[in-house]
Amino acid sequence: YITAKENVLLVGQIGTGKTHMATALGVEACRQGHRVRFTTAAGLTNELLEAQAAHRLGRFESGLLRFQLLILDEVGFVPFTKTGSDLLFSFLSALHEQVSLIITTTVPFSEWVQLFGGDQRLTAALLDRLTFHAHIVQFSGESFRLRQSIKQQQEDRRRG
């Protein structure tokens, strides 16, 4: 997927292993010699906003285009401002077929309009680019961390 500049979209509920999978794919990409960057969607959006305010947005974006894989974790966990969503859209559009993306999200694609300030055209255009030649993996089940916590509590009770 990296050589072909394809995206991987990991979609599902909290705690189902999306970030774990994204990290594992990123580590393997590094082992294969690819340049990889991991960030949260909120973190990247803040960096884009800061770069714009400092009049170095072009330089910042060019620096990120040197990566072969960008992992964008937690898309939709924190809502974007209008300016933030516009910057993120522009940046992700620039990456289209230039850099592979791995995106994790708990938000179904049908609800992404709310993430991007209700802008249906922008959201449709972004999803069109992100899903083109993409590998979409749906995660289901309940939270791994919750299951582990319940299991640990049960073991603690048995020990007494």
Side-chain angles (χ1 to χ4, degrees):
Y1 70 98
I2 295 173
T3 305
K5 296 179 173 59
E6 296 171 341
N7 299 329
V8 178
L9 308 175
L10 308 175
V11 183
Q13 295 301 310
I14 292 171
T16 54
K18 298 174 304 299
T19 300
H20 184 81
M21 179 63 71
T23 302
L25 290 169
V27 168
E28 182 57 30
C30 288
R31 286 186 180 139
Q32 294 177 14
H34 296 288
R35 290 182 307 277
V36 178
R37 178 155 190 238
F38 182 101
T39 185
T40 63
L44 177 61
T45 303
N46 286 336
E47 287 182 281
L48 289 166
L49 289 165
E50 290 169 10
Q52 182 184 49
H55 304 288
R56 55 178 181 80
L57 185 59
R59 192 174 324 132
F60 177 72
E61 288 179 344
S62 294
L64 290 176
L65 285 169
R66 287 189 282 240
F67 289 95
Q68 294 160 307
L69 174 62
L70 177 63
I71 301 171
L72 196 56
D73 195 31
E74 299 178 340
V75 171
F77 204 73
V78 177
F80 305 114
T81 63
K82 173 68 173 135
T83 304
S85 65
D86 289 345
L87 285 171
L88 188 60
F89 169 78
S90 294
F91 176 66
L92 293 177
S93 292
L95 291 181
H96 181 62
E97 296 187 330
Q98 301 297 314
V99 175
S100 290
L101 291 168
I102 295 176
I103 293 179
T104 70
T105 185
T106 59
V107 181
F109 297 136
S110 62
E111 296 175 21
W112 274 37
V113 171
Q114 289 115 1
L115 299 179
F116 290 91
D119 191 328
Q120 290 183 344
R121 287 182 47 211
L122 179 141
T123 306
L126 178 59
L127 284 171
D128 184 63
R129 287 171 176 86
L130 291 177
T131 58
F132 185 66
H133 295 304
H135 306 272
I136 302 171
V137 182
Q138 184 72 43
F139 286 68
S140 60
E142 55 186 48
S143 168
F144 173 79
R145 289 181 291 272
L146 177 60
R147 283 193 320 259
Q148 289 300 104
S149 179
I150 291 169
K151 182 179 174 182
Q152 185 62 48
Q153 288 176 4
Q154 290 170 344
E155 289 175 10
D156 290 347
R157 282 189 207 119
R158 277 187 227 129
R159 285 187 217 131

mmCIF file of all heavy atoms in Angstrom, residues 18 96 104 124 146 151 156:
data_model
loop_
_atom_site.group_PDB
_atom_site.id
_atom_site.type_symbol
_atom_site.label_atom_id
_atom_site.label_comp_id
_atom_site.label_asym_id
_atom_site.label_seq_id
_atom_site.Cartn_x
_atom_site.Cartn_y
_atom_site.Cartn_z
ATOM 1 N N LYS A 18 -7.623 -0.091 16.784
ATOM 2 C CA LYS A 18 -7.271 0.697 15.603
ATOM 3 C C LYS A 18 -5.883 1.333 15.734
ATOM 4 O O LYS A 18 -5.057 1.212 14.831
ATOM 5 C CB LYS A 18 -8.316 1.790 15.350
ATOM 6 C CG LYS A 18 -9.707 1.261 15.069
ATOM 7 C CD LYS A 18 -10.726 2.376 14.970
ATOM 8 C CE LYS A 18 -10.792 3.279 16.174
ATOM 9 N NZ LYS A 18 -11.163 2.624 17.432
ATOM 10 N N HIS A 96 -2.920 13.531 -1.484
ATOM 11 C CA HIS A 96 -3.616 12.540 -2.309
ATOM 12 C C HIS A 96 -2.698 12.002 -3.401
ATOM 13 O O HIS A 96 -2.167 12.746 -4.209
ATOM 14 C CB HIS A 96 -4.876 13.160 -2.905
ATOM 15 C CG HIS A 96 -5.674 12.234 -3.757
ATOM 16 N ND1 HIS A 96 -6.241 11.076 -3.267
ATOM 17 C CD2 HIS A 96 -5.993 12.276 -5.061
ATOM 18 C CE1 HIS A 96 -6.879 10.470 -4.242
ATOM 19 N NE2 HIS A 96 -6.738 11.166 -5.349
ATOM 20 N N THR A 104 -7.139 6.579 11.694
ATOM 21 C CA THR A 104 -8.012 5.874 12.631
ATOM 22 C C THR A 104 -9.144 6.820 13.016
ATOM 23 O O THR A 104 -8.937 8.022 13.184
ATOM 24 C CB THR A 104 -7.270 5.421 13.908
ATOM 25 O OG1 THR A 104 -6.941 6.559 14.700
ATOM 26 C CG2 THR A 104 -6.005 4.642 13.569
ATOM 27 N N ALA A 124 -17.396 15.661 1.393
ATOM 28 C CA ALA A 124 -17.536 14.699 0.296
ATOM 29 C C ALA A 124 -16.251 14.632 -0.528
ATOM 30 O O ALA A 124 -15.804 13.543 -0.905
ATOM 31 C CB ALA A 124 -18.719 15.077 -0.587
ATOM 32 N N LEU A 146 -11.411 -2.172 28.327
ATOM 33 C CA LEU A 146 -12.516 -2.435 29.249
ATOM 34 C C LEU A 146 -12.562 -3.917 29.610
ATOM 35 O O LEU A 146 -12.702 -4.270 30.785
ATOM 36 C CB LEU A 146 -13.846 -1.986 28.635
ATOM 37 C CG LEU A 146 -15.096 -2.255 29.463
ATOM 38 C CD1 LEU A 146 -15.019 -1.531 30.804
ATOM 39 C CD2 LEU A 146 -16.335 -1.834 28.689
ATOM 40 N N LYS A 151 -11.646 -8.178 33.558
ATOM 41 C CA LYS A 151 -10.949 -9.433 33.840
ATOM 42 C C LYS A 151 -10.037 -9.286 35.059
ATOM 43 O O LYS A 151 -10.014 -10.147 35.941
ATOM 44 C CB LYS A 151 -10.135 -9.855 32.617
ATOM 45 C CG LYS A 151 -9.410 -11.162 32.782
ATOM 46 C CD LYS A 151 -8.647 -11.499 31.503
ATOM 47 C CE LYS A 151 -7.796 -12.732 31.706
ATOM 48 N NZ LYS A 151 -7.008 -13.053 30.501
ATOM 49 N N ASP A 156 -8.862 -10.162 40.854
ATOM 50 C CA ASP A 156 -8.589 -9.583 42.164
ATOM 51 C C ASP A 156 -9.597 -10.063 43.205
ATOM 52 O O ASP A 156 -9.236 -10.348 44.349
ATOM 53 C CB ASP A 156 -8.605 -8.052 42.088
ATOM 54 C CG ASP A 156 -7.425 -7.475 41.326
ATOM 55 O OD1 ASP A 156 -6.448 -8.228 41.053
ATOM 56 O OD2 ASP A 156 -7.466 -6.276 40.983
#
